[in-house]
């Protein structure tokens, strides 16, 4: 590789890198050699000249995201190896050539050694979200890696980075980088879903809830289920298929409610009463008359940054309190948080505060998190964003 720009760290800031944490904060930088442009590949050194890592530079609070702790001689080769490793892991956990599930996350950012990159696989279509210009500038490389791995199974690659990069990078267009839209239907644990990666949220589907949906199904027989923040109806479809007595779905987005209804129709579930409501969940829980045996609370991330963490914790408390007031005795609540800055302890604290206020006996039956195709590096606890509790409420 041509000579790379160098970043020298302050002496007392090298410990985090030695512990393989993949982020270097701007405050850790002592000096940069030459002009380092946004998106550049940089080598990181101690001020004694010891090589520490190679990463991608972004002029922000997290200035370098590390790709490798060993010298890199060929960046294209490094990307390909990471894609191959990621694919092998999905093979190992049984998600490749699986007759019941043909959608999964292929690249989970730091968890697959490619910070700021998400690639989700939807039965032949790969949907990319690059969260930094550095990755966005390397989309061609990413498409080459996908072609090598999937060969003829790859029908299309859709770049959806504009949705997450637009403001900082002035990128306004999501587009197909390879192929074109063909099928938009996937199977997840044998259930059929239409995925709208072009207009839907994130890459089109919340793949991170796959295993939690299956756990929910175990609790649903003959139950009256309320699925709040339903998006494309994942939990609703599983609940109906598992023999729920009725299911109601609530989401503030009309598009989400349309998707929920399409997905329910696709699975031939007309024998189970289902109502969908395009409404604010807080208002719905306050006003609804129905008694529910099981409530799912899967809100969007209430906190996007550490500054809004307190407010987020208060919102989780309020939401869970409303559910505790609503649920029937011997009821079950599946409650989630996907805010990265709200850790398990904060979240459980918020849920406990809500339980105290409702003065009902509440027990934890299970702790939930993200599935194996959303791996996290043991050195980067920030990657474990999804947490959930299954609660029995008497
Ligand atoms: N449970 C879903 C994912 C939920 S994503 C699944 O398994 O696929 C969060 C959803 O909450 C989004 O669809 C968003 O439209 C919806 N939402 C956000 N704020 C809301 C509110 N106050 N009331 C109702 N829905 C809301």
């Amino acid at each position: 590789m041509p000579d790379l720009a160098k970043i020298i760290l302050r002496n007392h800031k090298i410990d985090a890198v030695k512990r393989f944490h993949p982020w270097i904060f701007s405050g850790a930088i002592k000096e940069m050699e030459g002009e380092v442009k946004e998106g550049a590949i940089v080598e990181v050194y101690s001020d004694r000249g010891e090589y520490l890592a190679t990463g991608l530079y972004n002029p922000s609070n997290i200035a370098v995201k590390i790709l490798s702790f060993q010298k890199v001689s060929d960046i294209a080769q490094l990307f390909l190896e990471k894609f191959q490793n990621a694919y092998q892991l999905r093979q190992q956990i049984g998600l490749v050539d699986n007759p019941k599930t043909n959608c999964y996350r292929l690249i989970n950012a730091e968890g697959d050694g490619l910070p700021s990159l998400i690639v989700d696989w939807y039965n032949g279509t790969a949907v990319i979200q690059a969260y930094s210009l550095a990755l966005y500038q390397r989309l061609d490389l990413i498409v080459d890696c996908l072609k090598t791995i999937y060969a003829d199974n790859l029908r299309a690659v859709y770049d959806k980075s504009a949705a997450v990069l637009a403001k900082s990078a002035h990128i306004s267009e999501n587009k197909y980088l390879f192929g074109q839209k063909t099928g938009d239907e996937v199977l997840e644990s044998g259930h059929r879903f239409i995925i709208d990666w072009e207009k839907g949220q994130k890459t089109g589907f919340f793949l991170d809830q796959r295993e939690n949906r299956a756990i929910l199904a175990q609790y649903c027989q003959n139950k009256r289920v309320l699925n709040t923040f339903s998006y494309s109806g994942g939990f609703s479809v599983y609940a109906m298929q598992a023999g729920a007595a009725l299911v109601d779905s609530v989401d503030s987005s009309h598009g989400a409610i349309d998707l929920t209804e399409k997905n329910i129709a696709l699975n031939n579930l007309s024998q189970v009463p289902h109502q969908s409501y395009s409404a604010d969940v807080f208002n719905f829980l306050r006003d609804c008359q129905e008694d529910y045996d099981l409530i799912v609370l899967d809100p969007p991330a209430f906190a996007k940054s550490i500054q809004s963490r307190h407010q987020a914790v208060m919102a989780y408390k309020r939401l869970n309190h409303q559910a505790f007031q609503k649920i029937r005795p011997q009821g079950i609540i599946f409650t989630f948080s996907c805010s990265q800055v709200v850790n398990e302890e904060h979240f459980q604290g918020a849920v406990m505060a809500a339980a105290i206020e409702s003065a009902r006996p509440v027990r934890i039956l299970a702790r939930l998190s993200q599935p194996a195709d959303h791996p996290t590096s043991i050195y980067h606890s920030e990657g474990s964003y999804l947490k959930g509790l299954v609660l029995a409420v008497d």
Side-chain angles (χ1 to χ4, degrees):
M1 283 215 301
D3 269 359
L4 297 175
K6 281 188 184 172
I7 286 190
I8 320 291
L9 297 192
R10 294 178 198 281
N11 215 6
H12 61 288
K13 294 288 186 183
I14 64 173
D15 288 359
V17 188
K18 295 250 175 181
R19 289 195 300 265
F20 305 111
H21 193 280
W23 295 348
I24 292 173
F25 291 92
S26 56
I29 296 177
K30 184 179 174 197
E31 56 186 292
M32 302 204 261
E33 278 185 12
E35 191 201 356
V36 183
K37 288 208 187 94
E38 180 171 5
I41 299 172
V42 293
E43 285 187 339
V44 181
Y45 287 84
S46 74
D47 69 352
R48 292 195 201 98
E50 181 191 1
Y51 168 86
L52 296 170
T54 299
L56 299 167
Y57 178 71
N58 191 30
S60 66
N61 183 31
I62 304 173
V64 181
K65 292 197 172 173
I66 294 174
L67 289 170
S68 175
F69 294 92
Q70 280 155 11
K71 280 246 184 189
V72 176
S73 55
D74 181 341
I75 199 80
Q77 186 58 29
L78 179 75
F79 268 59
L80 182 58
E81 280 167 19
K82 285 175 186 275
F83 270 76
Q84 285 169 331
N85 285 342
Y87 183 69
Q88 267 166 23
L89 176 71
R90 277 62 182 179
Q91 278 179 317
Q92 241 175 344
I93 59 180
L95 287 169
V96 173
D97 296 329
N98 180 324
K100 290 194 162 169
T101 299
N102 56 24
C103 54
Y104 55 84
R105 176 152 294 184
L106 174 71
I107 301 289
N108 189 45
E110 282 85 354
D112 286 294
L114 287 165
S116 305
L117 183 65
I118 296 295
V119 181
D120 286 342
W121 175 258
Y122 295 116
N123 187 25
T125 299
V127 181
I128 303 176
Q129 284 196 310
Y131 281 77
S132 76
L133 193 65
L135 270 305
Y136 188 78
Q137 288 166 342
R138 292 171 178 85
L139 284 178
D140 287 350
L141 184 53
I142 293 166
V143 174
D144 286 346
C145 292
L146 289 166
K147 285 180 178 166
T148 305
I149 286 177
Y150 288 108
D152 290 348
N153 291 331
L154 183 70
R155 290 202 305 267
V157 179
Y158 187 65
D159 167 43
K160 209 181 171 187
S161 305
V164 289
L165 264 183
K167 274 184 232 118
S168 55
H170 309 291
I171 293 157
S172 56
E173 198 194 3
N174 294 321
K175 58 180 182 305
Y176 287 91
L177 303 175
F178 169 72
Q180 51 188 295
K181 184 165 185 175
T182 47
D184 59 358
E185 199 187 307
V186 299
L187 275 179
E188 188 191 77
S189 313
H191 308 302
R192 297 167 67 184
F193 290 100
I194 291 168
I195 312 294
D196 187 355
W197 49 78
E198 291 179 11
K199 296 197 195 63
Q201 298 178 29
K202 302 279 172 133
T203 66
F205 195 56
F206 288 85
L207 293 163
D208 54 0
Q209 290 289 20
R210 179 193 325 106
E211 291 178 0
N212 299 329
R213 293 182 188 122
I215 294 171
L216 175 95
Q218 298 165 14
Y219 288 84
C220 284
Q221 195 160 29
N222 299 324
K223 295 293 191 291
R224 304 156 78 82
V225 177
L226 173 63
N227 179 17
T228 67
F229 308 94
S230 62
Y231 183 47
S232 51
F235 285 106
S236 302
V237 167
Y238 278 62
M240 293 169 81
Q241 200 84 260
L246 75 80
V247 176
D248 288 343
S249 307
V250 185
D251 199 289
S252 54
S253 145
H254 293 285
I257 291 299
D258 282 351
L259 271 176
T260 293
E261 289 182 352
K262 275 188 195 149
N263 287 328
I264 288 171
L266 195 63
N267 287 281
N268 299 320
L269 292 165
S270 55
Q271 73 285 5
V272 186
H274 175 262
Q275 283 277 347
S276 40
Y277 298 89
S278 174
D280 176 82
V281 168
F282 291 91
N283 295 340
F284 182 90
L285 282 169
R286 187 193 57 209
D287 299 336
C288 73
Q289 299 302 319
E290 186 67 70
D291 269 338
Y292 295 105
D293 307 299
L294 198 162
I295 299 179
V296 181
L297 304 171
D298 185 24
F302 282 151
K304 293 260 167 23
S305 68
I306 212 100
Q307 287 76 16
S308 52
R309 183 163 71 196
H310 177 68
Q311 265 179 318
V313 168
M314 298 313 286
Y316 288 119
K317 179 183 164 198
R318 199 152 59 90
L319 177 66
N320 282 273
H321 180 243
Q322 285 192 291
F324 287 138
Q325 286 190 306
K326 191 77 228 151
I327 193 99
R328 284 165 84 154
Q330 276 76 55
I332 299 285
I333 296 179
F334 273 63
T335 181
F336 294 98
S337 161
C338 61
S339 304
Q340 189 222 336
V341 294
V342 174
N343 67 21
E344 243 181 284
E345 204 181 325
H346 302 133
F347 179 56
Q348 190 172 317
V351 176
M352 184 176 83
I356 292 171
E357 214 161 275
S358 71
R360 293 183 66 173
V362 177
R363 287 175 291 165
I364 298 173
L365 306 186
R367 292 173 193 282
L368 308 175
S369 69
Q370 58 212 60
D373 56 332
H374 293 61
T376 48
S377 160
I378 199 162
Y379 309 112
H380 179 246
S381 56
E382 296 90 334
S384 309
Y385 65 95
L386 183 62
K387 53 235 148 260
L389 296 168
V390 183
L391 303 173
V393 187
D394 296 332

